[in-house]
Amino acid sequence: MTDAPATRLAAFLDELEDARRARGVTLIVVTKRHPASLVRELAAAGQRDFGESRHPESRDKAAELADLGLTWHFVGQLQRNKARQIARYADVLHSIDSLELVDALEGGDDERPVRDALVQVNLTDDPGRGGIAPAELQALAERVAASPALRLRGVMAVAPFGEEPGRAFERLARHAERVRTIDPAADWISAGMSADWREALEHGATHLRIGTAITGNRPAGG
């Protein structure tokens, strides 16, 4: 059997169909460091949502593939000095993690469309990890909801190393409930990667960020 990305995509979708809460789940294929040709191959197989985490690589890829009408998710950490550039081409921003970042996205004179946004929550005790501390979540979510540059969609997180993913995603589900008290329509939960997507689904994930299980290993240097 061929090991082509399109074949792995079909196999993953079969697994997802069998998994609990599979209905309505958005599959985001993360293609960091992979060439645009791989994205074209997966798009031809029916995949529409793709994730990237490096600028300007993601900008160039989105421009090269503009004819396909894909939805681009920026899933990496957003640097304030690059945030407005990324918002020009990324349809969904998964890693809003500070009030200052929201300020940066609102700044400048250039016209940018309103972007879907998720607040990234830090599920660890390490302040150096990406995401907002749970104690600061409500204030940030309220700021995003009020922003003219962003549309609050929900929360995002990465399961911590060394912890059972299900426990971490259970906490994320509770944080998601808090965000829905701000805006009931902000019901997205972006969680789960190739190694822990089943646990994420069990705790309500609506968006899965899957890389190597579909794309295979990244090219050297990735």
Side-chain angles (χ1 to χ4, degrees):
M1 182 175 65
T2 180
D3 198 33
T7 301
R8 290 194 292 266
L9 172 64
F12 186 90
L13 289 172
D14 285 343
E15 284 192 70
L16 184 58
E17 185 66 26
D18 292 338
R20 184 173 151 189
R21 302 191 191 190
R23 187 178 303 277
V25 173
T26 298
L27 171 62
I28 302 162
V29 178
V30 179
T31 49
K32 169 186 172 182
R33 288 284 193 182
H34 287 284
S37 58
L38 181 141
V39 178
R40 280 196 181 275
E41 178 182 350
L42 293 174
Q47 179 63 25
R48 309 308 299 164
D49 290 80
F50 291 89
E52 290 285 332
S53 61
R54 295 164 61 96
H55 177 81
E57 175 193 344
S58 50
R59 175 199 63 197
D60 297 344
K61 203 174 292 182
E64 182 176 346
L65 300 168
D67 59 299
L68 298 179
L70 304 174
T71 298
W72 292 98
H73 300 251
F74 195 84
V75 300
Q77 293 305 118
L78 278 165
Q79 298 178 19
R80 289 196 292 273
N81 64 339
K82 298 178 181 178
R84 289 198 299 273
Q85 299 174 55
I86 292 168
R88 293 190 186 107
Y89 61 82
D91 302 287
V92 188
L93 305 174
H94 283 241
S95 49
I96 305 297
D97 62 0
S98 71
L99 298 171
E100 293 79 9
L101 180 56
V102 178
D103 292 341
L105 285 162
E106 291 175 351
D109 297 327
D110 52 327
E111 290 291 327
R112 295 179 304 278
V114 177
R115 291 308 192 192
D116 289 335
L118 296 107
V119 176
Q120 183 177 0
V121 184
N122 185 349
L123 298 178
T124 78
D125 294 325
D126 179 1
R129 293 292 299 267
I132 192 77
E136 302 172 36
L137 172 60
Q138 182 158 342
L140 180 56
E142 289 174 348
R143 178 71 177 85
V144 173
S147 173
L150 301 170
R151 184 181 300 109
L152 180 64
R153 286 299 197 183
V155 296
M156 177 272 234
V158 177
F161 296 117
E163 180 181 1
E164 201 283 313
R167 293 178 57 191
F169 293 142
E170 184 177 11
R171 295 199 302 278
L172 181 63
R174 292 197 295 268
H175 298 321
E177 290 178 5
R178 295 169 56 199
V179 169
R180 288 196 296 274
T181 67
I182 298 167
D183 183 349
D187 58 358
W188 294 7
I189 300 177
S190 172
M193 297 187 288
S194 292
D196 56 22
W197 64 270
R198 288 183 179 276
E199 291 91 340
L201 278 183
E202 290 175 3
H203 294 284
T206 63
H207 291 65
L208 303 177
R209 309 183 305 272
I210 307 299
T212 55
I214 293 171
T215 63
N217 293 330
R218 293 178 187 141

